[in-house]
Amino acid sequence: LVPKVPKTDFIKFYEKDRQGLDGHELRFLARLETKMPIDKDRRFIVIVYLSDDTVSVFEPPQRNSGVIGGTYLSRCRVVNADADRDPVTGHTQFYLPEDFAVGRALQ
């Protein structure tokens, strides 16, 4: 058995994809909620791409922090740990652009 690749929503992709220099994406500045003193000052840039509901996380380099910045999570769909499985199909739920907001904590 060979599983089929899920179909993409081409209408959504066409409407929300990059048009010239204007991209349809949401950018957030995020930080870790932790008790570790070295991780309290770490900052991340979370980018949500509206064309295909993917997420990428980047950590800008900070001087004298001891942590090397760079790509923390490459662009992919991320499973929502808070959401239950879809009761009809049994598929896992992914993060959607509606799940991201200023001041909201994600797992």
Side-chain angles (χ1 to χ4, degrees), residues 36-107:
M36 302 276 301
I38 194 165
D39 291 336
K40 283 192 179 278
D41 294 331
R42 294 176 73 180
R43 300 291 182 248
F44 299 91
I45 297 173
V46 178
I47 304 171
V48 181
Y49 298 93
L50 300 178
S51 61
D52 54 358
D53 297 336
T54 55
V55 178
S56 67
V57 181
F58 176 77
E59 182 177 8
Q62 295 179 2
R63 295 183 61 186
N64 297 328
S65 67
V67 178
I68 300 172
T71 303
Y72 192 78
L73 176 69
S74 61
R75 185 175 176 174
C76 63
R77 293 179 71 191
V78 180
V79 175
N80 190 347
D82 295 332
D84 296 329
R85 289 183 172 265
D86 188 8
V88 177
T89 62
H91 294 125
T92 58
Q93 298 291 323
F94 293 97
Y95 278 111
L96 298 174
E98 297 84 27
D99 296 328
F100 294 88
V102 175
R104 183 174 291 176
L106 301 175
Q107 292 194 11

